[in-house]
Amino acid sequence: VTPAEMNYQAGGSPLAGEPMYQSTNPKAPPMTQAEFDRARQIYFERCAGCHGVLRKGATGKPLTPDITQAKGSDYLKVFIAYGSPAGMPNWLTSGDFDEKTVDLMARYIQHDAPTPPEFGMDDMKKTWKVIVPPEKRPTKKMNNYNIANIFSTTLRDSGEVALIDGDTKQIINIVKTGYAVHISRLSASGRYLFVIGRDAKINMIDLWMEKPDNVAEIRVGLEARSVDTSKFKGFEDKYAIAGSYWPPQYTIMKGDTLEPLKIVATRGMTVDKQEYHPEPRVASIIASHYKPEFVVNVKETGQTLLVDYSNIDALKVTTIGTARFLHDGGVDSTGRYFMVAANQSNKIAAVDLKEGKLTKLIEVGKIPHPGRGANFVHPKFGPVWATGHLGDETISLIGTDPVKHKDSAFKVVETIKGQGGGNLFIKSHPKSQHLYVDTPLNPDPKLSQSVAVFDVKNLAKGYTVLPIGEWAGLTDDGAKRVVQPEYNKAGDEVWFAVWSAKNKESAMVVVDDKTLKLKAVIKDKRLITPTGHFNVHNTQHDVY
Ligand code: DHE
C-alpha cells in the first residue's frame, strides 16, 4: 500500500461533529466521556474512510469489539503506532499521533461503535430551501454565456464552486455550496447544475439566470459523494437522485426544486458471502440514457442497482451482483455499458444497461480508479474504455465493442505504463488523439505535479510529460497536486486544477490539446483549493 492510498482515504468525515451516544461495554478498557468524544472525532477524521463508521471494515479490517477485545490493548497499540504492510498507516512514527493518542485510540476501538443518527424525510424537509421557485425563474436564458462550455470547479476547502466561462476563462460567479463538493452533474437539458458536498448538501444552480446562482438546496444525509439527474427521453429535468455514505441510502427528488420524494435504504446483504452489512455506502451514481433508470453503486455490498424511476410510487429496482467494493465509473462510448471499479477486488464490472445484466467482471491492475474513465478508438482493438490505478503505474484498456470487435470485447486488450501509482483520473475526447493521465497522489512531487499524455494512435511511443505544476507559476513552494484532466466542449483544450493548501495560491492550467503547449493559467484569490472541474457539455452528454 502506498502513501497515495492512505492520503486518499483519510479525507475527513463531517460526522466528527455529530452528537452520538456512548455505549457501555463492560469488557472495554475504561474511558472518560471527554476521552471518548476526542477519540470519536479522531476516528471519523482518520479511520472511518477505511474501516467504516460502524467499523465493519471496507478498505481496512473490521474493528468491532469482539475482534478488538480479543487482540487486546498492547497489540492494538503496536498496530496503530507502526502500521502494517497491508496498508494501515504508522500513526505514531509518521508524527500524526503521540503516544497518548495511540493509547486513546486502542481503548476507543474496544468500545462499541457509536451509531450516528439516521436522516429521514423529516430531517431532509427541515433543510430543504427553494431559494427561487420555478415560476419566478427566467423563461429563457438571460445571459450571454456559452453555457455549454462553462466549467463548474470545486473549491474544496471554502465550500464553494467557481463557475468559469470556458471561452473567456473569466470567473462568472462563486457559488456557496456544501463543504468539499465532490462532483457536479447537469440536468438533461443542460440548464441546471447540481453539486453535492461531502456534508450531503446538494445545491441546484440555474445557468439561465443573468448571473447563474443557487435556486434550491437540501441535505440528504450527514455524508455523501454522488448526485445525478434523470436523462431518459420524457423524463428530462424531472428527477434528481443523491446517494449518501451516512445514512446508507439514496434519495430521489423533484428535478426543479429538490423536494425529497423517496428515500431508499441500501442496508442489506453482500454479494459474495451473502452476509448482512449495516453500512453499505452509496458510491457512484449515473443516469442511464437507455432506460428511465439510475445506476446506483453500493460499495460494501458490491451490488449495482438499476433504479427504475418511471413510477416512483412503485419503485422497481434490479439488483445486479458485481463485486466489492464499488467506487467510481462511467459509460462506454455508446452509453450502453457502465464500467465500474470494484477497487479492493482489482476488478472492473461491465454492466449492460440495455439488457439490465452483468456482462463481465474484468481483472485489471491494483486498485482501479477510473473517475468516469476514458473512451477512445484503439487502432487495433476498436473502441476501448480505459482506467488507471491508485496502486500501480498501469493503465488498462478494455474493449467495449462486442459487435465489430467481438474477440476483444470486455477483455483487457492492452496494458500501458504511465508515470507511476497514485493516479486518480484519466480523460480523452472524441475529437482528440490524446489520453491524459494524472498522478496527484504519487508521493514524488515531480509526478504529483505533472501529467502523462499518450498519443492513442501510437501508444507504443510512450508518454509525454507535461509539467502542469511548473506552468502554473505559483510562487509558494508548498505541496501542489495536479488533478483531473477535463476537456472543453470543442475537445481542443484540457483543463487541470493545481491544488495547493488552503492558505496557499492555487490555479487552473489550460493546455492546447493539439500542440500540448500551455494555453492559459487562471489565477484568482478566490480560487481556493480547486479540485474537480466539470465541463457542462461533456458532463451533460457523458463525453469522456
Ligand atoms: Fe472522490 C468521484 C468517493 C477522495 C475528488 N469520489 C468520486 C465518486 C465517489 C468518490 C463515490 C464517484 C461519484 C459519482 O460518479 O457519482 N472520493 C471518494 C471517497 O470516498 C474518497 C476515497 C475519500 C473521501 O474521504 O472522500 C475520495 N475524491 C477524493 C479526493 O481526495 C479528491 C481528489 C478531492 C476531494 O474533493 O476530496 C476527490 N472524486 C473526486 C472527483 C470526482 C470524484 C473530482 C469526480 C471525477 C469524475 O471525473 O467524475
Side-chain angles (χ1 to χ4, degrees), residues 100-113:
K100 268 185 134 165
T101 310
V102 171
D103 175 67
L104 178 78
M105 297 313 288
R107 284 183 288 140
Y108 175 75
I109 57 174
Q110 296 177 68
H111 285 262
D112 295 336

Side-chain angles (χ1 to χ4, degrees), residues 19-84:
M20 286 173 229
Y21 66 87
Q22 173 182 8
S23 75
T24 40
N25 186 321
K27 286 199 224 122
M31 299 185 87
T32 64
Q33 183 68 46
E35 283 179 322
F36 187 88
D37 290 343
R38 184 161 167 260
R40 189 196 65 206
Q41 174 142 9
I42 294 171
Y43 182 85
F44 285 120
E45 284 170 6
R46 307 291 193 135
C47 320
C50 288
H51 298 282
V53 169
L54 301 179
R55 303 200 216 120
K56 294 284 177 184
T59 317
K61 293 218 167 79
L63 296 174
T64 42
D66 52 325
I67 298 169
T68 50
Q69 286 175 5
K71 304 257 190 226
S73 297
D74 289 340
Y75 175 95
L76 295 171
K77 280 205 279 201
V78 171
F79 223 81
I80 296 168
Y82 303 105
S84 82

Side-chain angles (χ1 to χ4, degrees), residues 4-14 44-45 48-50 59 154-157 179-185 196 198 223-228 243 245 281-286 295 297 299 326-330 338 343 369-373 390 424-427 438 440-441 481 483-486 499 529-534 539 544:
E5 291 157 41
M6 292 169 199
N7 275 341
Y8 184 54
Q9 300 279 352
S13 162
F44 285 120
E45 284 170 6
C50 288
T59 317
T154 295
L155 304 177
R156 191 183 182 283
D157 295 355
Y179 170 66
V181 160
H182 224 87
I183 64 166
S184 297
R185 291 280 167 88
I196 186 147
R198 193 173 277 260
E223 177 158 7
R225 300 288 184 280
S226 49
V227 65
D228 210 348
Y245 268 19
R281 298 177 277 186
V282 176
S284 49
I285 298 187
I286 203 156
V295 185
N297 295 284
K299 191 186 279 291
L326 295 177
H327 194 68
D328 50 350
F338 177 65
N343 57 15
H369 193 284
R372 284 161 293 162
L390 254 163
L424 284 182
F425 304 113
I426 174 170
K427 202 65 60 81
D438 70 8
L441 296 185
R481 283 173 280 195
V483 67
Q484 209 208 20
E486 176 80 349
W499 170 21
T529 56
T531 54
H533 40 285
F534 299 81
T539 308
Y544 38 78

Side-chain angles (χ1 to χ4, degrees), residues 340-462:
V340 59
N343 57 15
Q344 293 305 312
S345 325
N346 304 328
K347 286 187 179 74
I348 296 290
V351 177
D352 183 344
L353 301 183
K354 192 171 168 203
E355 301 291 334
K357 58 173 214 247
L358 176 68
T359 298
K360 195 87 182 276
L361 279 176
I362 305 145
E363 199 80 36
V364 291
K366 192 164 173 234
I367 317 184
H369 193 284
R372 284 161 293 162
N375 288 294
F376 60 90
V377 179
H378 189 285
K380 189 158 159 217
F381 303 108
V384 294
W385 177 91
T387 182
H389 301 89
L390 254 163
D392 67 33
E393 75 280 27
T394 66
I395 297 134
S396 305
L397 314 184
I398 298 170
T400 55
D401 176 13
V403 181
K404 292 199 191 118
H405 297 85
K406 204 166 169 227
D407 291 346
S408 351
F410 307 109
K411 286 181 193 143
V412 173
V413 293
E414 188 173 347
T415 302
I416 55 178
K417 282 196 171 165
Q419 292 204 84
N423 160 248
L424 284 182
F425 304 113
I426 174 170
K427 202 65 60 81
S428 192
H429 188 281
K431 300 229 173 81
S432 168
Q433 276 213 61
H434 291 130
L435 172 70
Y436 292 79
V437 182
D438 70 8
T439 32
L441 296 185
N442 194 289
D444 180 350
K446 249 193 126 86
L447 271 61
S448 65
Q449 297 181 18
S450 63
V451 300
V453 191
F454 291 88
D455 178 347
V456 299
K457 298 217 164 87
N458 188 1
L459 292 164
K461 203 177 68 186

Side-chain angles (χ1 to χ4, degrees), residues 150-197:
I150 288 175
F151 286 73
S152 170
T153 304
T154 295
L155 304 177
R156 191 183 182 283
D157 295 355
S158 68
E160 296 163 329
V161 294
L163 302 178
I164 307 180
D165 183 335
D167 295 354
T168 63
K169 321 274 187 291
Q170 300 294 313
I171 294 176
I172 295 171
N173 198 8
I174 304 278
V175 179
K176 287 254 166 279
T177 60
Y179 170 66
V181 160
H182 224 87
I183 64 166
S184 297
R185 291 280 167 88
L186 272 296
S187 68
S189 69
R191 169 178 181 174
Y192 292 113
L193 176 73
F194 295 78
V195 302
I196 186 147

Side-chain angles (χ1 to χ4, degrees), residues 231-232 286-291 293 295 306 330-339 351-355 375 383 385 400 410 541-544:
K231 299 265 162 68
F232 190 67
I286 203 156
S288 170
H289 297 266
Y290 269 85
K291 287 185 181 172
E293 285 179 344
V295 185
L306 306 180
V331 287
D332 76 310
S333 58
T334 65
R336 173 165 172 178
Y337 298 96
F338 177 65
M339 314 288 286
V351 177
D352 183 344
L353 301 183
K354 192 171 168 203
E355 301 291 334
N375 288 294
W385 177 91
T400 55
F410 307 109
H541 298 285
D542 285 294
V543 180
Y544 38 78

